[in-house]
Amino acid sequence: PARDEILVDAETFPTDGYIAESAARMTGCRIRAVPAAEIGAACGPRTAVALVNHVDYRTGRLHDLPGTTAAAHAAGALVVWDLCHSAGALPVGLDAHGVDLAVGCTYKYLNGGPGSPAFLYVRRDLQPRFDSPLPGWNSHADPFGMAPSYAPADGAVRGRVGTPDILSMLALEAALEVWDGVAVEDVRAKSLALTDFFLECVAAYVPRGRVECVTPAAHAERGSQVALRCEDAEEVMRELIARGVVGDFRRPDVLRFGFTPLYVGYADAERAARVLADVLAERHPGGGPPGAGGTGG
Ligand SMILES: Cc1ncc(COP(=O)(O)O)c(C=O)c1O
């Protein structure tokens, strides 16, 4: 085929990369890893599709969805956006920006609970061409007809597979009711205020140089998390969790704090920074004065 290249966000969450490799094996395409910020410019006449994580799961960097999508389209390529860390955290504008395809989960900022269902977005005009690699009875045009041959349902419903996880769906339905009457723009404003405030508290409480913020300071480049590089991050996070501050450790040295604005308040952000400072002080007694600048770039 003329378009035989799949571009993959060089920092992608691993699952997405595995799926891109699997798609490449099945279609005879080759994979090229490109930093997310350069994917728009890297799309060329051989690019079939590009995969980009809207927010980097490690650093919390928010990538330019409108610009990358437009640049890919100008090169005749499609883009698949992974919205795991943006759905429920910030306005995405799939229709507004002409996004082709998107996937994501509902157990992060949509708070659907562990194992809650994934979602798929296919732009309306692409839906008739969307050929699911995982057809099942539940994506059939006549699901209970049990026909031996496959006929896909119309619309995005053809992305379904088999028997749905009903209990998970019920939990998700309840979680989504919390959003009734809520504007995602307001959630975004609170998210940025929370992450700003958390960074201020870290700068005030944590001795200078003990942690380095790897999440961009610019709001336009920040998701809803703060990632702090820190020595012995795995043990530090274990201790934070033991004290009720539940974040993640991401290899090799990152502490990740996610802020879900509908559930997390300023007092939680302040306490998280204070407990972090306590844990670090206990590990390195006499570690110097706290001070602005402690979080670095
Ligand atoms: C950006 C991103 N993509 C994909 C996934 C994987 O999703 P799942 O395990 O639900 O397929 C995650 C999970 O943390 C993620 O952060």
Side-chain angles (χ1 to χ4, degrees):
R3 293 187 180 269
D4 58 358
E5 172 185 78
I6 299 176
L7 301 186
V8 175
D9 180 340
E11 302 298 328
T12 186
F13 186 83
T15 298
D16 305 48
Y18 304 155
I19 291 177
E21 277 175 20
S22 157
R25 274 197 305 277
M26 290 192 282
T27 58
C29 287
R30 67 192 172 93
I31 299 275
R32 187 153 65 97
V34 177
E38 295 164 25
I39 280 193
C43 286
R46 301 196 69 156
T47 311
V49 63
L51 165 84
V52 197
N53 291 201
H54 194 195
V55 176
D56 184 295
Y57 76 100
R58 233 193 247 110
T59 63
R61 178 178 291 274
L62 171 65
H63 293 117
D64 176 11
L65 179 143
T68 305
T69 302
H73 287 174
L78 301 175
V79 188
V80 182
W81 287 94
D82 179 328
L83 306 179
C84 281
H85 291 265
S86 52
L90 50 102
V92 177
L94 296 175
D95 290 336
H97 301 302
V99 165
D100 309 296
L101 300 153
V103 292
C105 66
T106 58
Y107 52 75
K108 298 186 195 292
Y109 296 95
L110 292 169
N111 294 91
S116 63
F119 64 83
L120 168 74
Y121 170 92
V122 183
R123 202 178 66 216
R124 193 173 294 281
D125 61 295
L126 294 177
Q127 290 173 9
R129 289 168 51 199
F130 171 48
D131 183 6
S132 169
L134 286 174
W137 70 267
N138 201 21
S139 60
H140 198 283
D142 179 14
F144 292 98
M146 304 295 154
S149 63
Y150 183 68
D154 282 340
V157 166
R158 67 176 58 180
R160 290 178 180 167
V161 186
T163 306
D165 270 321
I166 298 296
L167 296 180
S168 298
M169 299 271 228
L170 285 172
L172 176 61
E173 187 174 31
L176 294 180
E177 277 166 15
V178 174
W179 285 83
D180 288 349
V182 173
V184 72
E185 289 76 15
D186 293 340
V187 170
R188 173 63 168 163
K190 173 91 181 280
S191 154
L192 290 170
L194 278 169
T195 49
D196 276 343
F197 180 60
F198 176 68
L199 285 169
E200 280 170 33
C201 293
V202 170
Y205 296 160
V206 175
R208 194 184 284 263
R210 197 48 62 70
V211 296
E212 180 203 351
C213 184
V214 294
T215 302
H219 284 178
E221 295 173 18
R222 191 192 302 167
S224 198
Q225 75 178 54
V226 171
L228 302 176
R229 192 168 280 148
C230 170
E231 196 181 300
D232 301 328
E234 186 166 19
E235 293 87 68
V236 170
M237 183 50 74
R238 200 175 300 130
E239 190 54 37
L240 285 172
I241 292 172
R243 299 185 195 191
V245 176
V246 182
D248 302 285
F249 159 66
R250 285 291 174 265
R251 271 171 230 278
D253 57 0
V254 168
L255 302 171
R256 188 177 76 166
F257 300 89
F259 293 85
T260 47
L262 293 181
Y263 296 83
V264 172
Y266 296 102
D268 300 314
E270 189 274 339
R271 193 170 76 83
R274 189 159 29 88
V275 174
L276 173 63
D278 291 347
V279 169
L280 294 177
E282 288 166 25
R283 295 178 67 84
H284 299 273
T295 56

